[in-house]
Each structure stands twice: as structure tokens, then as C-alpha cells.
Amino acid sequence: MKHLKHIILFATLIFTSTLTLTCSRSDEDLDVLSQEDISNIILNVTDDATGITQTYNYTVNSATNPVIKLTDGKTYTVKTIFLNGNEDETESIKAAKDEHFLIFDFQGSHINFTRIDDASSTRTDEKKLGLITKWEVVKAVNAPGPELTLSLIHDAISVSEAQNGTAFGSATGGETDAVATFGISN
């Protein structure tokens, strides 16, 4: 009888351990895209007048940054794409759109900026992520070393689309999932 109790106790311990291991959850939120999960940030810049698209590919940890060529007085439609290798992470960002927001900081350039996202990339608070934007270039090179710093923010307490200094958009709280720097030239 004691032998049977030990077998039952042993079987219960193994079952409980297996159940605990298979049902455990990672503490990490599966939606969080860390900088390591984003290898490339691509800007497809389309000249509204000609329809010609130029692609600028920022590679994380690259020694050089791509330089976006803009012409004063022109308007461009810009689509932002996030990749992890060959996998498009943009859809993951859209799927968790209430947890993401893009900030575009144009330093040394005078650009009128508008978010034109469709419903797939507009948050429930009506703030547009910034995956599709319109750039009206007043002066591409307005100061030495013009550049765009693009930041993908995750899980901010609040976000604003308003211009804040040279940046279009701001966030309170949250973490930065990815940052890319692009030069700007004429």
C-alpha cells in the first residue's frame, strides 16, 4: 500500500511539473518590437507630381545613413515600412496600433507634415500612427546637417500629432521600439 502511495505521489509531482512548464507564460509582451526585432526601416518617398518613388533603406546599426533627396516646393507621399530580415513587421504594428506611434523629427529642414493614414493605421483615440504621411517641402536644407530622426514608440501613456519644435508628434511615457536617422539633401 505504501508503495502505491509513493507511485501516486511521484506521478502527481511529474504531472504538476509538466503542467507548470507547458502552461507558463513569458513575462515579455509578444507585441513588443525591440530594436533587435527591426532590422530595416524603409521610407518609400513618392513625388506627387511625377508619381516616381524613391526608396530609402535604413539598416539598424549601419555605419552610414541613407540621404533622402527632396526638392524645395514639391510634395511627397511617404510610406514607412518596418522589416525584420525579410519579414514585414509593419502589419504587426498595425495589428497593435493602439500601442504604437511614430515621431518624425526634421532637424535643419522646413517641411510641412501631415499624417494621412487610413483606418488600418489609425488608433482608436483617432491619432494616426504616421505610416503614411504627406511632406510639403518648403526648404529641404534649411540649416547645416539636415536630417530626419524617426522614432517608433511603444505603449505610450498618451500621444499627440501636434508639432513640438522640429518634431511632428510627441509621446508621454512608453518605450522606443526603433529609431532611424536619415540625412536630407536637395
Side-chain angles (χ1 to χ4, degrees):
M1 190 66 126
K2 281 188 174 185
H3 186 7
L4 184 59
K5 284 183 181 178
H6 287 299
I7 291 172
I8 292 172
L9 180 61
F10 181 72
T12 303
L13 285 172
I14 288 177
F15 178 76
T16 304
S17 297
T18 303
L19 185 63
T20 302
L21 290 174
T22 59
C23 292
S24 68
R25 298 178 114 221
S26 173
D27 290 336
E28 186 174 326
D29 183 354
L30 293 178
D31 175 58
V32 175
L33 295 172
S34 66
Q35 185 77 29
E36 295 82 33
D37 292 337
I38 296 176
S39 61
N40 298 77
I41 300 171
I42 297 171
L43 297 180
N44 287 326
V45 180
T46 303
D47 182 323
D48 285 357
T50 66
I52 297 172
T53 300
Q54 295 293 320
T55 299
Y56 301 94
N57 186 348
Y58 172 85
T59 302
V60 174
N61 297 324
S62 174
T64 60
N65 296 332
V67 178
I68 304 168
K69 186 173 179 358
L70 300 173
T71 302
D72 295 349
K74 287 203 168 214
T75 301
Y76 301 88
T77 299
V78 181
K79 293 183 181 178
T80 305
I81 300 167
F82 294 87
L83 298 179
N84 179 11
N86 292 328
E87 187 176 331
D88 188 345
E89 293 293 343
T90 311
E91 292 306 313
S92 298
I93 292 167
K94 286 181 181 180
K97 59 189 174 187
D98 287 335
E99 299 175 19
H100 292 97
F101 190 70
L102 288 167
I103 298 173
F104 291 78
D105 189 357
F106 292 97
Q107 300 167 25
S109 293
H110 183 183
I111 294 175
N112 294 326
F113 177 90
T114 308
R115 295 169 192 266
I116 58 171
D117 298 76
D118 60 17
S120 72
S121 55
T122 299
R123 299 159 44 108
T124 56
D125 63 5
E126 299 301 315
K127 304 290 191 295
K128 298 175 185 296
L129 293 183
L131 292 174
I132 306 171
T133 56
K134 186 76 70 178
W135 301 2
E136 294 176 23
V137 181
V138 177
K139 189 133 179 81
V141 180
N142 201 36
E147 65 181 21
L148 164 64
T149 302
L150 177 60
S151 302
L152 174 63
I153 306 299
H154 175 82
D155 216 15
I157 296 167
S158 65
V159 298
S160 171
E161 294 179 10
Q163 185 174 356
N164 182 15
T166 59
F168 291 89
S170 61
T172 302
E175 296 179 3
T176 303
D177 277 347
V179 175
T181 303
F182 296 86
I184 296 176
S185 72
N186 236 188

